[in-house]
Amino acid sequence: MKLPKTLLVGTGMLLLVGCSKTDNTELYQEIKSVDKMVFATMAITKTAKMESSGWYTVGKRIAVYSYDSYMRAYIDLSALQMDDLVFDETNKTVKVTLPPVITEITGRDMEMRKEYENIGMLRQDLDSKERAEIKEQANKSFKEEVEENPMFKEQLTEAAKRKARKYFEAIFESNGYTPSIDFKS
């Protein structure tokens, strides 16, 4: 039995469209499987000062320490949906809408650097408990600064968006598409 030529051509076209969607699905799955992808990090030096003197003590105790705290900006690619990638096979373009950039504080140095110390002759050096208290106060202050001052998050978010755009442009261009990349808010 001979099949009509239009049926053969139509079947061939469906196979081609189906294959290209499979490739796009595979590309989508590959990107989504990354989960969290860090695009920017920042180290912020925090300085902490402790000073004690008074009528009940002889001499001063001044100590200034510093340590670095770290932040990062990432995209949770597990939140990417298939409809966030809109492929135009005719023009070989893709409109990509990435999940929002998320910033977070990731940690701090364990050890503090001694920047300055002036302990009077009749006073004791700071002990490890006092240094830990200084660091906890400084860390609390640091977290408040980050929440109150959007500059840290904005800088980190913008750096992450620039790097993410370049990264995803390279991926889609290597797959033959001209991408347009945006972010959800």
Side-chain angles (χ1 to χ4, degrees), residues 124-149:
Q124 286 182 314
D125 286 340
L126 272 70
D127 61 20
S128 59
K129 182 181 175 188
E130 288 174 307
R131 282 192 298 278
E133 287 172 2
I134 292 169
K135 191 171 187 178
E136 283 307 311
Q137 278 183 321
N139 193 51
K140 182 180 175 189
S141 168
F142 170 71
K143 287 179 179 178
E144 289 170 0
E145 283 178 49
V146 167
E147 289 304 314
E148 292 172 5
N149 184 352

mmCIF file of all heavy atoms in Angstrom, residues 124-149:
data_model
loop_
_atom_site.group_PDB
_atom_site.id
_atom_site.type_symbol
_atom_site.label_atom_id
_atom_site.label_comp_id
_atom_site.label_asym_id
_atom_site.label_seq_id
_atom_site.Cartn_x
_atom_site.Cartn_y
_atom_site.Cartn_z
ATOM 1 N N GLN A 124 43.497 42.811 82.899
ATOM 2 C CA GLN A 124 43.695 41.508 82.272
ATOM 3 C C GLN A 124 43.443 41.610 80.761
ATOM 4 O O GLN A 124 42.626 42.414 80.311
ATOM 5 C CB GLN A 124 42.712 40.478 82.824
ATOM 6 C CG GLN A 124 43.039 39.997 84.207
ATOM 7 C CD GLN A 124 42.039 38.937 84.630
ATOM 8 O OE1 GLN A 124 40.847 39.112 84.460
ATOM 9 N NE2 GLN A 124 42.547 37.842 85.170
ATOM 10 N N ASP A 125 44.129 40.742 80.015
ATOM 11 C CA ASP A 125 43.845 40.625 78.585
ATOM 12 C C ASP A 125 42.430 40.086 78.396
ATOM 13 O O ASP A 125 41.854 39.487 79.310
ATOM 14 C CB ASP A 125 44.843 39.671 77.919
ATOM 15 C CG ASP A 125 46.225 40.284 77.758
ATOM 16 O OD1 ASP A 125 46.327 41.527 77.791
ATOM 17 O OD2 ASP A 125 47.196 39.516 77.605
ATOM 18 N N LEU A 126 41.909 40.297 77.205
ATOM 19 C CA LEU A 126 40.594 39.745 76.901
ATOM 20 C C LEU A 126 40.686 38.229 76.855
ATOM 21 O O LEU A 126 41.635 37.674 76.273
ATOM 22 C CB LEU A 126 40.110 40.253 75.533
ATOM 23 C CG LEU A 126 39.351 41.565 75.528
ATOM 24 C CD1 LEU A 126 40.251 42.722 75.841
ATOM 25 C CD2 LEU A 126 38.655 41.745 74.227
ATOM 26 N N ASP A 127 39.716 37.564 77.410
ATOM 27 C CA ASP A 127 39.709 36.103 77.330
ATOM 28 C C ASP A 127 38.838 35.670 76.143
ATOM 29 O O ASP A 127 38.200 36.496 75.481
ATOM 30 C CB ASP A 127 39.239 35.477 78.651
ATOM 31 C CG ASP A 127 37.823 35.865 79.050
ATOM 32 O OD1 ASP A 127 37.042 36.295 78.167
ATOM 33 O OD2 ASP A 127 37.493 35.741 80.242
ATOM 34 N N SER A 128 38.816 34.384 75.882
ATOM 35 C CA SER A 128 38.097 33.878 74.704
ATOM 36 C C SER A 128 36.596 34.145 74.809
ATOM 37 O O SER A 128 35.929 34.389 73.797
ATOM 38 C CB SER A 128 38.368 32.386 74.511
ATOM 39 O OG SER A 128 37.950 31.666 75.653
ATOM 40 N N LYS A 129 36.040 34.136 76.004
ATOM 41 C CA LYS A 129 34.611 34.409 76.190
ATOM 42 C C LYS A 129 34.301 35.858 75.789
ATOM 43 O O LYS A 129 33.309 36.118 75.101
ATOM 44 C CB LYS A 129 34.208 34.162 77.641
ATOM 45 C CG LYS A 129 32.745 34.386 77.898
ATOM 46 C CD LYS A 129 32.389 34.152 79.346
ATOM 47 C CE LYS A 129 30.924 34.512 79.583
ATOM 48 N NZ LYS A 129 30.568 34.486 80.979
ATOM 49 N N GLU A 130 35.149 36.806 76.207
ATOM 50 C CA GLU A 130 34.929 38.211 75.861
ATOM 51 C C GLU A 130 35.069 38.429 74.356
ATOM 52 O O GLU A 130 34.290 39.173 73.752
ATOM 53 C CB GLU A 130 35.921 39.106 76.612
ATOM 54 C CG GLU A 130 35.621 39.213 78.095
ATOM 55 C CD GLU A 130 36.688 39.982 78.848
ATOM 56 O OE1 GLU A 130 37.878 39.628 78.714
ATOM 57 O OE2 GLU A 130 36.326 40.937 79.561
ATOM 58 N N ARG A 131 36.047 37.770 73.726
ATOM 59 C CA ARG A 131 36.202 37.897 72.274
ATOM 60 C C ARG A 131 34.986 37.328 71.547
ATOM 61 O O ARG A 131 34.515 37.881 70.554
ATOM 62 C CB ARG A 131 37.492 37.222 71.809
ATOM 63 C CG ARG A 131 38.731 38.064 72.068
ATOM 64 C CD ARG A 131 39.959 37.533 71.358
ATOM 65 N NE ARG A 131 40.355 36.199 71.779
ATOM 66 C CZ ARG A 131 41.081 35.925 72.863
ATOM 67 N NH1 ARG A 131 41.505 36.904 73.630
ATOM 68 N NH2 ARG A 131 41.403 34.686 73.168
ATOM 69 N N ALA A 132 34.453 36.218 72.053
ATOM 70 C CA ALA A 132 33.253 35.624 71.446
ATOM 71 C C ALA A 132 32.062 36.568 71.585
ATOM 72 O O ALA A 132 31.257 36.710 70.651
ATOM 73 C CB ALA A 132 32.942 34.280 72.089
ATOM 74 N N GLU A 133 31.937 37.240 72.720
ATOM 75 C CA GLU A 133 30.850 38.201 72.917
ATOM 76 C C GLU A 133 30.986 39.382 71.964
ATOM 77 O O GLU A 133 29.994 39.851 71.397
ATOM 78 C CB GLU A 133 30.834 38.698 74.370
ATOM 79 C CG GLU A 133 30.337 37.669 75.363
ATOM 80 C CD GLU A 133 30.520 38.115 76.820
ATOM 81 O OE1 GLU A 133 30.998 39.249 77.065
ATOM 82 O OE2 GLU A 133 30.198 37.305 77.705
ATOM 83 N N ILE A 134 32.218 39.868 71.781
ATOM 84 C CA ILE A 134 32.467 40.966 70.845
ATOM 85 C C ILE A 134 32.036 40.545 69.436
ATOM 86 O O ILE A 134 31.370 41.284 68.718
ATOM 87 C CB ILE A 134 33.960 41.379 70.845
ATOM 88 C CG1 ILE A 134 34.334 42.018 72.176
ATOM 89 C CG2 ILE A 134 34.268 42.319 69.688
ATOM 90 C CD1 ILE A 134 35.837 42.212 72.347
ATOM 91 N N LYS A 135 32.422 39.335 69.069
ATOM 92 C CA LYS A 135 32.103 38.851 67.724
ATOM 93 C C LYS A 135 30.592 38.687 67.537
ATOM 94 O O LYS A 135 30.053 39.037 66.482
ATOM 95 C CB LYS A 135 32.817 37.527 67.480
ATOM 96 C CG LYS A 135 32.773 37.076 66.039
ATOM 97 C CD LYS A 135 33.670 35.891 65.821
ATOM 98 C CE LYS A 135 33.763 35.549 64.371
ATOM 99 N NZ LYS A 135 34.658 34.424 64.134
ATOM 100 N N GLU A 136 29.901 38.187 68.530
ATOM 101 C CA GLU A 136 28.448 38.025 68.432
ATOM 102 C C GLU A 136 27.752 39.375 68.308
ATOM 103 O O GLU A 136 26.814 39.521 67.525
ATOM 104 C CB GLU A 136 27.903 37.243 69.627
ATOM 105 C CG GLU A 136 28.141 35.756 69.531
ATOM 106 C CD GLU A 136 27.644 35.149 68.231
ATOM 107 O OE1 GLU A 136 26.482 35.404 67.828
ATOM 108 O OE2 GLU A 136 28.420 34.419 67.595
ATOM 109 N N GLN A 137 28.208 40.367 69.088
ATOM 110 C CA GLN A 137 27.646 41.713 68.975
ATOM 111 C C GLN A 137 27.880 42.275 67.578
ATOM 112 O O GLN A 137 26.989 42.863 66.971
ATOM 113 C CB GLN A 137 28.289 42.654 70.000
ATOM 114 C CG GLN A 137 27.699 42.570 71.368
ATOM 115 C CD GLN A 137 28.350 43.600 72.294
ATOM 116 O OE1 GLN A 137 29.555 43.847 72.234
ATOM 117 N NE2 GLN A 137 27.550 44.188 73.163
ATOM 118 N N ALA A 138 29.088 42.090 67.078
ATOM 119 C CA ALA A 138 29.420 42.597 65.740
ATOM 120 C C ALA A 138 28.592 41.885 64.676
ATOM 121 O O ALA A 138 28.127 42.510 63.720
ATOM 122 C CB ALA A 138 30.906 42.428 65.471
ATOM 123 N N ASN A 139 28.392 40.583 64.832
ATOM 124 C CA ASN A 139 27.616 39.825 63.850
ATOM 125 C C ASN A 139 26.153 40.271 63.857
ATOM 126 O O ASN A 139 25.535 40.417 62.799
ATOM 127 C CB ASN A 139 27.722 38.322 64.130
ATOM 128 C CG ASN A 139 27.207 37.511 62.980
ATOM 129 O OD1 ASN A 139 27.602 37.710 61.841
ATOM 130 N ND2 ASN A 139 26.293 36.604 63.264
ATOM 131 N N LYS A 140 25.601 40.503 65.029
ATOM 132 C CA LYS A 140 24.220 40.999 65.132
ATOM 133 C C LYS A 140 24.120 42.360 64.443
ATOM 134 O O LYS A 140 23.190 42.612 63.674
ATOM 135 C CB LYS A 140 23.821 41.101 66.595
ATOM 136 C CG LYS A 140 22.410 41.552 66.805
ATOM 137 C CD LYS A 140 22.070 41.645 68.290
ATOM 138 C CE LYS A 140 20.677 42.225 68.462
ATOM 139 N NZ LYS A 140 20.377 42.542 69.842
ATOM 140 N N SER A 141 25.091 43.214 64.705
ATOM 141 C CA SER A 141 25.129 44.548 64.088
ATOM 142 C C SER A 141 25.243 44.426 62.567
ATOM 143 O O SER A 141 24.579 45.147 61.817
ATOM 144 C CB SER A 141 26.305 45.344 64.651
ATOM 145 O OG SER A 141 26.528 46.495 63.912
ATOM 146 N N PHE A 142 26.085 43.494 62.102
ATOM 147 C CA PHE A 142 26.264 43.277 60.669
ATOM 148 C C PHE A 142 24.949 42.860 60.006
ATOM 149 O O PHE A 142 24.561 43.400 58.968
ATOM 150 C CB PHE A 142 27.344 42.213 60.423
ATOM 151 C CG PHE A 142 27.430 41.756 59.009
ATOM 152 C CD1 PHE A 142 27.935 42.591 58.023
ATOM 153 C CD2 PHE A 142 26.992 40.493 58.640
ATOM 154 C CE1 PHE A 142 28.005 42.183 56.700
ATOM 155 C CE2 PHE A 142 27.068 40.075 57.323
ATOM 156 C CZ PHE A 142 27.564 40.914 56.359
ATOM 157 N N LYS A 143 24.241 41.918 60.599
ATOM 158 C CA LYS A 143 22.966 41.455 60.035
ATOM 159 C C LYS A 143 21.951 42.593 59.957
ATOM 160 O O LYS A 143 21.214 42.712 58.980
ATOM 161 C CB LYS A 143 22.412 40.286 60.854
ATOM 162 C CG LYS A 143 23.163 39.000 60.641
ATOM 163 C CD LYS A 143 22.599 37.877 61.477
ATOM 164 C CE LYS A 143 23.365 36.586 61.223
ATOM 165 N NZ LYS A 143 22.861 35.494 62.058
ATOM 166 N N GLU A 144 21.926 43.436 60.994
ATOM 167 C CA GLU A 144 21.024 44.594 60.977
ATOM 168 C C GLU A 144 21.404 45.564 59.860
ATOM 169 O O GLU A 144 20.527 46.088 59.166
ATOM 170 C CB GLU A 144 21.055 45.302 62.334
ATOM 171 C CG GLU A 144 20.374 44.525 63.439
ATOM 172 C CD GLU A 144 20.607 45.106 64.829
ATOM 173 O OE1 GLU A 144 21.315 46.139 64.956
ATOM 174 O OE2 GLU A 144 20.089 44.520 65.803
ATOM 175 N N GLU A 145 22.699 45.788 59.679
ATOM 176 C CA GLU A 145 23.167 46.687 58.617
ATOM 177 C C GLU A 145 22.738 46.178 57.245
ATOM 178 O O GLU A 145 22.301 46.957 56.392
ATOM 179 C CB GLU A 145 24.691 46.817 58.641
ATOM 180 C CG GLU A 145 25.245 47.704 59.712
ATOM 181 C CD GLU A 145 26.759 47.735 59.699
ATOM 182 O OE1 GLU A 145 27.341 47.930 58.611
ATOM 183 O OE2 GLU A 145 27.354 47.543 60.767
ATOM 184 N N VAL A 146 22.887 44.874 57.037
ATOM 185 C CA VAL A 146 22.524 44.282 55.744
ATOM 186 C C VAL A 146 21.025 44.439 55.492
ATOM 187 O O VAL A 146 20.605 44.742 54.375
ATOM 188 C CB VAL A 146 22.950 42.795 55.677
ATOM 189 C CG1 VAL A 146 22.315 42.085 54.492
ATOM 190 C CG2 VAL A 146 24.466 42.686 55.606
ATOM 191 N N GLU A 147 20.213 44.236 56.530
ATOM 192 C CA GLU A 147 18.758 44.367 56.379
ATOM 193 C C GLU A 147 18.344 45.820 56.167
ATOM 194 O O GLU A 147 17.424 46.095 55.400
ATOM 195 C CB GLU A 147 18.034 43.782 57.589
ATOM 196 C CG GLU A 147 18.110 42.271 57.658
ATOM 197 C CD GLU A 147 17.591 41.577 56.412
ATOM 198 O OE1 GLU A 147 16.505 41.947 55.911
ATOM 199 O OE2 GLU A 147 18.292 40.676 55.911
ATOM 200 N N GLU A 148 19.005 46.748 56.856
ATOM 201 C CA GLU A 148 18.610 48.158 56.781
ATOM 202 C C GLU A 148 19.192 48.883 55.573
ATOM 203 O O GLU A 148 18.608 49.845 55.096
ATOM 204 C CB GLU A 148 19.040 48.886 58.059
ATOM 205 C CG GLU A 148 18.264 48.435 59.282
ATOM 206 C CD GLU A 148 18.822 49.003 60.586
ATOM 207 O OE1 GLU A 148 19.756 49.833 60.541
ATOM 208 O OE2 GLU A 148 18.330 48.593 61.649
ATOM 209 N N ASN A 149 20.331 48.444 55.101
ATOM 210 C CA ASN A 149 20.997 49.116 53.991
ATOM 211 C C ASN A 149 20.928 48.223 52.751
ATOM 212 O O ASN A 149 21.669 47.240 52.653
ATOM 213 C CB ASN A 149 22.449 49.425 54.343
ATOM 214 C CG ASN A 149 23.165 50.214 53.277
ATOM 215 O OD1 ASN A 149 22.638 50.419 52.186
ATOM 216 N ND2 ASN A 149 24.362 50.647 53.570
#
